[in-house]
Amino acid sequence: MGWLQRIAYLFWGVLLAARANYQNMKNNVPRLKLSYKEMLESNNVITFSGLTNSSSYHTFLLDEERSRLYVGAKDHIFSFSLVNIKDFQKIAWPVSHTRRDECKWAGKDILKECANFIKVLKAYNQTHLYACGTGAFHPICTYIEIGRHPEDNIFKLEDSHFENGRGKSPYDPKLLTASLLIDGELYSGTAADFMGRDFAIFRTLGHHHPIRTEQHDSRWLNDPRFISVHLIPESDNPEDDKVYFFFRENAIDGEHSGKATHARIGQICKNDFGGHRSLVNKWTTFLKARLICSVPGPNGIDTHFDELQDVFLMNSKDPKNPIVYGVFTTSSNIFKGSAVCMYSMTDVRRVFLGPYAHRDGPNYQWVPYQGRVPYPRPGTCPSKTFGGFDSTKDLPDDVITFARSHPAMYNPVFPINNRPIMIKTDVKYQFTQIVVDRVDAEDGQYDVMFIGTDVGTVLKVVSIPKETWHDLEEVLLEEMTVFREPTTITAMKISTKQQQLYIGSSTGIAQLPLHRCDIYGKACAECCLARDPYCAWDGSSCSRYFPTAKRRTRRQDIRNGDPLTHCSDLQHHDNYHGHGFEEKIIYGVENSSTFLECSPKSQRALIYWQFQRQNEERKEEIRVDDRIIKTEQGLLLRSLQRKDSGIYLCHAVEHGFMQTLLKVTLEVIDTDHLEELLHKDDDGDSAKTKDISNGMTPNQKVWYRDFMQLINHPNLNTMDEFCEQVWKRDRKQRRQRPGNSQVNSNKWKHLQENKKGRNRRTHEFERAPRSV
Amino acid sequence: MASWVWTLILLSSSWPAGHGSRPWKLEFFRSKTELNHLVVDEVSGTVYLGAVNALYQLTADLQLVHAVETGPALDNKKCTPPIEPSQCQEAVDMDNVNKLLLLDRPAGRLVECGSLFKGICALRELGNISHRIFYEDSSGEKSFVASNDERVSTVGLVTSVGKDDGDGGPGERVLFVGKGNGPHDNGIIISTRLLDRKDGKEAFEAYTDHTAFKAGYLSANTQQFVAVFEDGDYVFFIFNQQDKQPAKNRTIVARMCKQDSFYYSYFEMDLECQGASGDVYSICHAAFVAPGPTPEASQVLFAVFSKDSKGSGGTPRSALCLFPLEKIHQKMEENRNKCYMGAQGSSSETFYKPFHGDIQCVSHGMASQSFRCGSEHLPYPLGSRDGLVGTATLQRDGMNLTAVTVTTENGHTVVLLGTSGGRIHKVFLRADGTSMEYGSILVEMNKRIERDLVFSTNGTNLYVMTQDKVLRFPVQECLSYTTCEQCKESRDPYCGWCVLEGRCTRKINCLRAEEKNHWLWSWGDSCVTVTSAQPQNMSRRAQGERLMRGLPTHQTFILSLSTDHVEVLIILTFLRTPVFLTSHMYPFYDCKEAMSLKENVP
């Protein structure tokens, strides 16, 4: 049964991937893909590559008021300027030698484990932060003074006062911890023992006795991995305030055949002080429900994304009802997929008011509880709003007993529209983090998601309603590589004030702007096609859109991305004599191959090639055959013939809009002519020579080789030999005539310079193809 | 409330007994309700009984001194005490089964826990159990100690922990508790409880926040605890556990350091009792720790087992197995080492986390020695399926052994076994490991002998408890054997022939027993006999004294001649006391007479 189902999943996964490939051939790919180098060169990323004696920049605290980003890392706490993270202060908070030795003794790794990994970093009050670290498997907490005002410029560890960090920070740096500090009380979901098995939701600090979830009861928590904690008011009465925990955990025995992970949302009341006689110093209002994020499949078998990775709360005008964004991945090792699901708090509350999961004993099925639910209903906060009892200590015995044995709800929480707003199944990476920005655009409000991945990239995605608001189309605007090496993104914060994004990983921190409108291009159409809600065509450039500014010339169409109706300067869009595209001449040798590089900036555009024979007016579409191969990077022409001479036009077609990118004039030189050229020593036409040996200077990587291998060229050796011959001859000639060396070298120098200049000019088109 | 009537019936000679008439008066006490526990104060000899709805304080000869009523009371297993009918509508009058009855002699108090009110406990004065020193029924779940289920056993041990002040001070008195869980129990299996108020905590609250093991809700195992005892710094628990995956009844021995306030040291493993043919007795019914039969007399765990109903084919089969504590320690250390050294492969199936599931054994070097009581960084609690296997010293078919106690008489190990049929079997255990049953007492036909089988203070008597009676039996009946031969035939290791006194006694009761050949042990030396005489025969007319071999000392004796002129029975007695020593047929002759007899001529 189990494996059958698994096979079904697998099959469906393959099917899904295949279908996705087919349907979204161009829709699911990022419109713009920016490498780390491109990001760096365009000044779109600022990186802090870490200290040599630190790592694990995972714990972020954003302080918009002071304009600082506090980061907890290995043995250090940092305070970065939000404006530029290159400007930072740091506090070293290592562990003592004795602690480290003890940790080493216990069989832990001295570098990866026996250090103080900061896991909790929270604003405590106006002047202090509260920080906890693993303390080399001996959790420890303290306060950090930050001063009352930003200009105080204080960043100091209160090293006279250390507190036990048990129940606040995990012992093991690998374990995830989620915490929230409100009103001087720290809520944390963590493991409270060395071995990392005693998981609980704690409330510590403050004046009250610490309180936690019931111990050793797998119905409450079953090996959980905590993701985040949020306070969400239930009503206007603060007595009803609830703290919600997001986590993933093992499915409860009997809930699922075999092992499985489930994503959960758990709730507790902020004013829960535990029971009086039972559940003393334990939560009495703890409830949890499963979060479903799945794609419906044939025969009702859904593909589930159960591994909750991150949660972002998008606040709306009503603080009671933020939108919950959750990032999930699959539990499968083979079928790697990620999804983003959106939940409404109304749905969450409905589930918590629904039936409790119940079973009569270990060998029974979980069923919705049908019996009488004691009053007040377990999970309700003691308040004047819902009932006449003042404290959880006054809860009747039967309520406590019921609460202890019914911590889970029977119904799961389904996402808005019952499906993910985004899935990614055809890639080699998975989502890890998410932040969302609500952006006002000309035609409405859009939620722009920034999704971090496990390969150090950030995806910028916007959900656009198609026909109705229930049918969303996700548009992947950009895929940006923000770290030099592929590394998992483990933290992400957005500063709407700075319009910046801050990204953490184990190796460092990156900062990037939320938008780079100018990168989309220099035409209205390109700006329009980008469908980036942050950007609009202001008449002269693609720039940040501000809804307040009343400018008629502003052009933006997020919903449809249709430049034809929005950009008036498009009547000559098929006229390649206009500006906006490159023109060049390329020489090819008869029987050899040549490559006409043309790749659109937008990954979504389709390339359309046209050919215009010399001295002919007629343009014809290039038909692909054995000799002419169309690739992502351009057009490959094998064994050139003289009739191939002519004009080649490269057009990008996107969203029904065609744009000319390149015009290449190809001249084919016949072999006899070539011999002549090669032997003619003092041929003044250096440009021609240069073109033939284009890209083949010995110090340059023979880039075409990779490329040829990729397309499985049968005559790779032949081609190689040919090139070698060309170079050899060239060198031989120079060696053969020592007397002319001066002249020759001058000539060579000139040639080189010429080439440099040209390289600079046509940099975009003459570089080696992107690595595939 | 009904007033209680206790009757003491003096037995007549009609009492069924294994051996004809009894020279002693059989004392017993009968309870109106079922008896659960029995303890004896070694100092005062006072006997305490825990029964359903009652506690009794009796004199050593089972005369009632105090009786305390403990139930029934309004309760429901699901409700949290104190019971308020408004909050616990299902509350009805429920019996209070005594779950724990323990002495805390140094503090002069009795610890008792009942099944009522979630198994909360009380402290009572040893001298007068009517005086309750401590009882609190409103502290909630932290005060729930015993199982509130009548059928689920609870065991307890009162001992001292904490820092020794160097002057041999007692440290803190605590209670170690092992219990199974019924459907409305608190889930706690093993815990350590305070017995005195400390740091704002009341008696019976957990010693520390960490001194309790709770069953994971879905722990598919149920425990029936059999025994708890201490050995040096360690506390041991013996219990049966019904595993569901795979379905198997296991007997488990668990050990932890007394001083371990985090339970890092908890280790458990299987304890298996195998019959001669390798058949397994898998359910332990009773256990007792006493010096073993070997010359070193090191501590040994004596445990009685039975086969489970499937394995026995209907007839009950029982066995007694001996496990030297040293061997248990050794096996446990071996196991700990294996896991701490990072046991891999098949070993990962050997080790597990008790009450919860899987455990990760990672290499920590020789941690088992550096961390004798475990540590937070070592896997804990730790369990191993690679336990200790013992070979049955004694196997009995057709009976269920229910109780065991062991004593040592003159360095000889005597095991007393109770059966479900109401009988006490007396077994002598020799140093070579062989056993010999030398007698049995039928206490009461088909009345199960309860686990609490206890010797009286000086070891002269045995208290036996059945469902409703407590009886006191002398441990031996040597005096009932009147001749040296009878004494020897008894094979009772308690008995020996006291030569000078001419009676069968315990060695302790024989005056010059320490001198060679003065006390002839039933399993050893033979009775005094005349092996040879010098001369072999004697003329009737001869006169004088003769020595006889085998006599303890040189004594004068009188020859009394029979009228028979050929053979004479010579009875040797001591001169001062008319104590029979031995007898011998001695031939006398009279040549004069012989000559006159024709028939004597060859």
Side-chain angles (χ1 to χ4, degrees), chain B residues 46-66:
Chain B
T46 307
V47 176
Y48 301 90
L49 297 179
V52 173
N53 299 333
L55 297 173
Y56 304 109
Q57 181 181 340
L58 311 176
T59 59
D61 56 356
L62 304 178
Q63 302 297 317
L64 180 70
V65 181
H66 292 288

Side-chain angles (χ1 to χ4, degrees), chain A residues 412-436:
Chain A
V413 181
F414 287 100
I416 295 172
N417 298 335
N418 286 317
R419 62 174 70 229
I421 51 167
M422 178 173 184
I423 55 167
K424 205 106 183 89
T425 53
D426 50 350
V427 288
K428 286 200 173 125
Y429 59 81
Q430 286 187 310
F431 298 170
T432 58
Q433 292 281 310
I434 187 170
V435 293
V436 185

Side-chain angles (χ1 to χ4, degrees), chain B residues 131-274:
Chain B
H131 180 217
R132 196 160 65 180
I133 307 165
F134 176 87
Y135 177 76
E136 180 58 66
D137 66 352
S138 58
S139 347
E141 59 186 338
K142 59 193 174 189
S143 63
F144 304 165
V145 175
S147 170
N148 69 347
D149 195 301
E150 298 81 5
R151 294 152 301 176
V152 176
S153 75
T154 302
V155 298
L157 170 78
V158 175
T159 184
S160 290
V161 298
K163 286 176 187 74
D164 235 344
D165 52 15
D167 307 325
E172 290 169 84
R173 299 297 282 170
V174 294
L175 168 65
F176 282 87
V177 184
K179 69 184 240 314
N181 284 281
H184 302 290
D185 244 315
N186 61 358
I188 291 175
I189 298 171
I190 286 173
S191 58
T192 313
R193 308 297 183 134
L194 290 168
L195 285 178
D196 298 285
R197 182 179 297 182
K198 180 198 168 193
D199 306 334
K201 286 188 195 168
E202 287 292 350
F204 299 113
E205 288 187 30
Y207 178 56
T208 70
D209 289 351
H210 315 286
T211 54
F213 278 140
K214 213 171 168 184
Y217 165 68
L218 299 161
S219 149
N221 310 315
T222 48
Q223 292 83 17
Q224 280 289 350
F225 275 78
V226 176
V228 56
F229 58 91
E230 55 187 318
D231 178 48
D233 295 343
Y234 293 107
V235 174
F236 284 86
F237 288 94
I238 309 285
F239 56 95
N240 295 303
Q241 183 166 284
Q242 193 64 52
D243 273 13
K244 297 251 163 68
Q245 294 281 333
K248 189 190 176 192
N249 189 77
R250 299 165 62 200
T251 297
I252 288 169
V253 56
R255 185 192 77 174
M256 50 207 252
C257 288
K258 252 201 278 185
Q259 311 289 349
D260 175 8
S261 51
F262 288 91
Y263 279 17
Y264 295 146
S265 59
Y266 183 93
F267 180 86
E268 68 169 44
M269 64 179 189
D270 288 66
L271 207 56
E272 207 174 272
C273 183
Q274 277 188 2

Side-chain angles (χ1 to χ4, degrees), chain B residues 497-510:
Chain B
W497 186 251
C498 187
V499 175
L500 278 186
E501 295 167 28
R503 57 188 189 136
C504 189
T505 65
R506 285 177 75 177
K507 193 174 184 183
I508 195 175
N509 298 332
C510 180

Side-chain angles (χ1 to χ4, degrees), chain B residues 470-483:
Chain B
V470 174
L471 307 98
R472 187 169 80 151
F473 291 94
V475 291
Q476 43 75 32
E477 295 166 81
C478 302
L479 281 176
S480 64
Y481 311 111
T482 50
T483 65

